[in-house]
Amino acid sequence: MGRPDPEEGQLPAPVKPPDGGWGWIVLLGCFVITGFSYAFPKAVSVYFKELMKDFHVGYSDTAWISSIMLAMLYGTGPVCSIMVNQFGCRPVMLIGGLLASSGMILASFTTNIIELYLTAGVLTGLGMALNFQPSLIMLGTYFDKRRPLANGLAAAGSPVFLSSLSPLGQVLLEKFGWRGGFLIMGGLLLNCCTCGAVMRPLDMGMKRKMGKAQDKYEAKEMLPIGGKSEEGVSTTDGTKKTKKVKKKPKKGKKLLDFSIFSNRGFIIYTISKFILVLGLFVPPILLVNYAKDTGVPDTEAAFLLSIIGFIDIFARPACGMVAGLKWVRPHVAYLFSFSMLFNGLTDICSARASNYTGLVIFCVFFGISYGMVGALQFEVLMAIVGSQKFSSAIGLVLLIEAFAVLIGPPSAGRLVDALKNYEVIFYLAGSEVVLSALFLAMATYCCLNRGKKKDPPPEKNPSAGGGSDTEEAESDVQEAEEHSSDNHQLAHSTDNAVVAASEEANHVEEQSGEGGGCPEADGEVLARDGCNIDQTVERDRF
């Protein structure tokens, strides 16, 4: 009697995103990670004036600190994807938290601007990158129907932390100096390790279900009829036709999936995001120093970032809820394009703000538009490539955006040093954001929507997690389903053979009723002799 492999029978379906449960804890961790990743490079700008005095450098030199942080956050995307696919999200995030904290602690002991680039810029930026990307992957794993809302709530971490880290940095600067402020902020970054610890892989529940299924199959093999589909099928002539199910070899895991470049939507999204990032981060980075140069006190200047953060807190979840509506979600790319257009026009219209009231009005509208962009950017990417390829897609997108991050803010800083005029910078940044919005909307309409009318709709990819363990477990279940379909075909052929045997048996019984009995010795061997045919048919049918 053959031993049935549990992978060759019916196994539980892949674990679907729970859209709740432990996912809310994962969402909280993603909230904190997103807050540190996006708010920290902007909050560090509070220390730039003191750094310029101590190291005798210009503003463009200090602006490189924020740019390097953002460049590491974006540029190490492929490295993060490879590490997540190889080791999983949780170990990568724990290492990232330690690196981010150690970078700021070491930065408090630096003696020149180059050392500051390497510690606060490279090391802290790398640590935040190793936290940011895995947290988004885990969020996409735990949420599907509520994913737009989850992305909006997680993205709200950026304004919450921005509204708190900026005033906190100003207080630390006044009481402990920039060195003491860097040291304390390095301690705060250790919370990233706590967030990484709660990122429990979703496929652990899948493995438990597979273990229960294996126990069921081991119990079934105790029955006298077990293993029939593997041993063979009884036919009318007493022969057995054996059909063995061959296991397909597992496909090797792709550390980085470059096939997403064949997706036209992904190409359009990547180009528009590159143009967007050129100007998106320039206004909030320059805002504090712009306000100080116009005569605004330091405390009130730092409060401008808090205003952006406070408005942003409500804008992101609200935009996530709107994006989750049934009639909006299929057109989320156009909503994203509108949010970018809103942001760019805000920069252009507020370029001539020369007093504190004008800057406050600019911060209100910038906070709304910036929150919309932040809530939708990764939701649009997930909708384009699917959650199964999201881990590779986000890594490649962030790498391409890293070049824009290295170009945008430093170039703006050099223009400020050369022209001593912030108005031109706001015009330039706003024009770049508007251009990205128009490109995304027009390219989506012309290249994608018209292509859908001509081409047949592609098959939908199943929703899956981004971690390596999840993909491996799902591949096992997929193989089991393939084997199960083979067994269903085998069972179907068995039913056909039983029906044929039953018809022949009825025919033999009619003849035996006319011609007499049957020999007892051959009763259970050959079905065509008409002996014990009911027992044979009953056994086969069962």
Side-chain angles (χ1 to χ4, degrees):
M1 183 181 299
R3 181 182 180 86
D5 192 348
E7 291 186 357
E8 294 180 5
Q10 295 179 355
L11 287 177
V15 176
K16 295 181 180 180
D19 282 312
W22 188 257
W24 297 117
I25 305 299
V26 173
L27 175 60
L28 178 61
C30 190
F31 175 88
V32 176
I33 295 297
T34 304
F36 276 123
S37 299
Y38 277 116
F40 206 84
K42 303 180 186 69
V44 171
S45 63
V46 174
Y47 300 96
F48 283 178
K49 284 287 185 180
E50 293 297 322
L51 294 175
M52 291 168 63
K53 293 179 182 178
D54 285 2
F55 294 141
H56 305 288
V57 294
Y59 182 79
S60 61
D61 296 320
T62 56
W64 271 99
I65 299 174
S66 297
S67 297
I68 292 174
M69 281 187 182
L70 291 173
M72 293 301 295
L73 180 66
Y74 289 104
T76 57
V79 178
C80 296
S81 297
I82 292 173
M83 293 183 67
V84 167
N85 291 334
Q86 185 68 26
F87 304 107
C89 293
R90 182 185 287 175
V92 174
M93 293 183 68
L94 292 174
I95 295 174
L98 294 175
L99 289 177
S101 176
S102 60
M104 291 303 297
I105 293 173
L106 292 175
S108 64
F109 299 99
T110 55
T111 57
N112 56 65
I113 194 69
I114 302 298
E115 293 177 355
L116 204 58
Y117 292 159
L118 296 176
T119 53
V122 175
L123 200 58
T124 301
L126 177 61
M128 289 190 296
L130 294 178
N131 276 272
F132 176 63
Q133 186 171 326
S135 66
L136 291 178
I137 294 172
M138 292 299 297
L139 190 67
T141 302
Y142 273 86
F143 290 92
D144 183 22
K145 294 181 180 179
R146 297 178 179 174
R147 193 179 64 201
L149 176 61
N151 277 320
L153 291 173
S158 175
V160 170
F161 276 67
L162 182 61
S163 60
S164 56
L165 286 179
S166 182
L168 176 62
Q170 188 67 38
V171 172
L172 295 177
L173 179 63
E174 294 174 356
K175 291 189 175 182
F176 304 103
W178 69 268
R179 295 185 184 275
F182 276 22
L183 186 64
I184 295 174
M185 285 193 165
L188 291 176
L189 286 174
L190 284 174
N191 289 287
C192 295
C193 296
T194 305
C195 297
V198 303
M199 299 295 172
R200 185 174 65 192
L202 185 60
D203 65 308
M204 291 177 64
M206 180 188 298
K207 291 180 179 178
R208 285 194 291 266
K209 290 186 177 180
M210 292 176 68
K212 292 180 180 178
Q214 185 174 2
D215 293 339
K216 290 182 180 179
Y217 280 98
E218 289 178 353
K220 283 186 178 181
E221 75 172 357
M222 303 294 292
L223 299 175
I225 57 172
K228 185 174 83 173
S229 62
E230 182 180 354
E231 291 180 356
V233 179
S234 297
T235 57
T236 56
D237 56 357
T239 60
K240 288 185 178 181
K241 293 182 179 180
T242 305
K243 181 177 181 180
K244 293 183 179 179
V245 180
K246 294 183 180 179
K247 287 185 179 181
K248 294 182 180 180
K250 276 187 180 180
K251 296 180 180 179
K253 290 185 298 183
K254 291 183 179 180
L255 297 180
L256 202 59
D257 189 359
F258 290 96
S259 64
I260 54 176
F261 282 106
S262 61
N263 188 334
R264 287 181 296 178
F266 177 76
I267 299 297
I268 293 172
Y269 176 86
T270 303
I271 295 174
S272 63
K273 278 300 296 293
F274 177 83
I275 302 173
L276 171 68
V277 174
L278 286 174
L280 181 64
F281 299 121
V282 171
I285 290 177
L286 298 178
L287 181 62
V288 174
N289 287 287
Y290 174 41
K292 291 179 180 179
D293 289 347
T294 56
V296 177
D298 292 352
T299 305
E300 295 181 1
F303 185 69
L304 290 174
L305 291 178
S306 300
I307 295 175
I308 294 177
F310 181 77
I311 300 297
D312 203 356
I313 291 172
F314 301 98
R316 297 197 183 209
C319 187
M321 293 177 64
V322 172
L325 298 176
K326 293 182 179 180
W327 56 276
V328 176
R329 194 169 184 182
H331 309 288
V332 68
Y334 294 107
L335 181 60
F336 183 48
S337 178
F338 170 76
S339 66
M340 292 191 293
L341 181 63
F342 185 16
N343 184 269
L345 293 177
T346 300
D347 294 340
I348 294 174
C349 296
S350 303
R352 295 198 174 190
S354 57
N355 52 41
Y356 190 72
T357 303
L359 291 176
V360 169
I361 295 174
F362 161 75
C363 289
V364 171
F365 286 97
F366 185 85
I368 297 173
S369 59
Y370 190 79
M372 295 175 65
V373 173
L376 296 174
Q377 56 180 343
F378 296 115
E379 172 60 27
V380 173
L381 181 59
M382 289 181 184
I384 291 174
V385 302
S387 57
Q388 188 174 10
K389 294 185 178 181
F390 181 69
S391 60
S392 297
I394 188 175
L396 295 172
V397 167
L398 293 179
L399 174 62
I400 295 172
E401 290 180 13
F403 295 100
V405 171
L406 289 174
I407 295 172
S411 299
R414 288 189 177 278
L415 288 175
V416 169
D417 292 338
L419 302 176
K420 305 297 182 182
N421 186 357
Y422 286 89
E423 182 178 341
V424 177
I425 308 303
F426 277 78
Y427 279 131
L428 181 60
S431 301
E432 291 167 345
V433 177
V434 169
L435 178 61
S436 67
L438 296 177
F439 174 79
L440 178 63
M442 295 175 62
T444 301
Y445 177 77
C446 297
C447 299
L448 297 184
N449 288 354
R450 290 186 178 181
K452 288 180 180 179
K453 295 179 181 178
K454 296 179 181 180
D455 302 333
E459 296 181 359
K460 295 183 180 179
N461 292 329
S463 178
S468 61
D469 295 336
T470 306
E471 292 179 356
E472 183 178 355
E474 289 181 353
S475 64
D476 293 339
V477 174
Q478 185 176 3
E479 291 175 5
E481 290 178 351
E482 293 174 358
H483 298 331
S484 177
S485 63
D486 293 339
N487 288 340
H488 286 314
Q489 294 177 359
L490 194 58
H492 182 69
S493 62
T494 304
D495 294 337
N496 293 336
V498 170
V499 171
S502 177
E503 293 177 355
E504 187 173 352
N506 294 334
H507 180 67
V508 172
E509 283 182 352
E510 291 177 0
Q511 293 179 352
S512 62
E514 296 176 359
C518 62
E520 295 180 358
D522 299 331
E524 296 182 2
V525 178
L526 297 178
R528 65 177 64 188
D529 291 338
C531 302
N532 292 335
I533 190 65
D534 295 335
Q535 298 174 355
T536 305
V537 173
E538 286 294 324
R539 182 168 62 88
D540 288 339
R541 281 181 177 173
F542 186 80

